[in-house]
Amino acid sequence: MSDLPGIVVTGASGRMGQMLIKTVVESDKARLVGAVEREGHDWVGRDVGEAMGSVALGVTVTDEPLEAFSKAQAVIDFTAPAATLQFAKLAAQARAVHVIGTTGMSDEDIAQLEPCGRHAVIVRAGNMSLGVNLLTLLTQKVAAALDEDFDIEVIEYHHRHKVDAPSGTALMLGEAAAAGRGVALNDVADRGRDGITGARKRGDIGFTAIRGGDIIGEHDVMFAADGEQIVLRHKATDRSLFAKGALKAALWGQDQKPGEYDMLDVLGL
């Protein structure tokens, strides 16, 4: 077991953090060597398995990420943009693969990852699932095939606790649609409608964010023209699929040269 890649999970107490820990522990291809939480969190100093209400795992939750990263081959990080930027610097220092599933990162945040990618592998994606990444490819192909007579809308549905909108996946799909049309998303994105907005602008890519209940994640890309619609859809019914994808990325990254990658690279698409 000691020769298996060691994984550290950040944001250990969160919904995704706990799912990631469970996925790593149950895997026969990796081992859990660290769990990180913010300073002052009541999980710090406790065995992470016991903190999760299960059996002890022999891994103590720490608020010292560099110490944890230095013992690992990969870090899986679904936290918040500010935390992820700090973790990226520390993962690069430790030469650990950094798998980033954090959403809500701005263009400026993403640009700050570039220096870290010179020293370590970074795999970043708005969504870690195979299905969503296939949807991304399909979106780009359909957008390239259809002209601006077809309006493009990205509609995403998530649980009431999600704090960012549009979702990282929705933006990823929007980027794919824009790439298919050969335009920059920032130039054509319509991310909010309220009041008397006037008619839709030809060529815009619209976003709608729906929040409610415990919806794990659903994404539609609608191409609507006069007399017809094409709708591409992905529906997630089990959060573990994101954790499994992230672990796949962490393992894939072990054989790569330093640089920035995405899930299309991991999946060979």
Side-chain angles (χ1 to χ4, degrees), residues 5-18:
I7 309 292
V8 170
V9 174
T10 62
S13 71
R15 191 191 306 250
M16 271 306 302
Q18 294 188 51

Side-chain angles (χ1 to χ4, degrees), residues 47-67:
D47 182 278
V48 70
E50 294 178 343
M52 290 170 58
S54 186
V55 299
L57 296 175
V59 173
T60 301
V61 180
T62 180
D63 57 6
E64 296 289 346
L66 182 56
E67 181 181 347

Side-chain angles (χ1 to χ4, degrees), residues 34-52:
V36 173
E37 259 302 342
R38 65 184 182 276
E39 184 178 356
H41 195 281
D42 59 9
W43 279 28
V44 174
R46 299 175 60 190
D47 182 278
V48 70
E50 294 178 343
M52 290 170 58

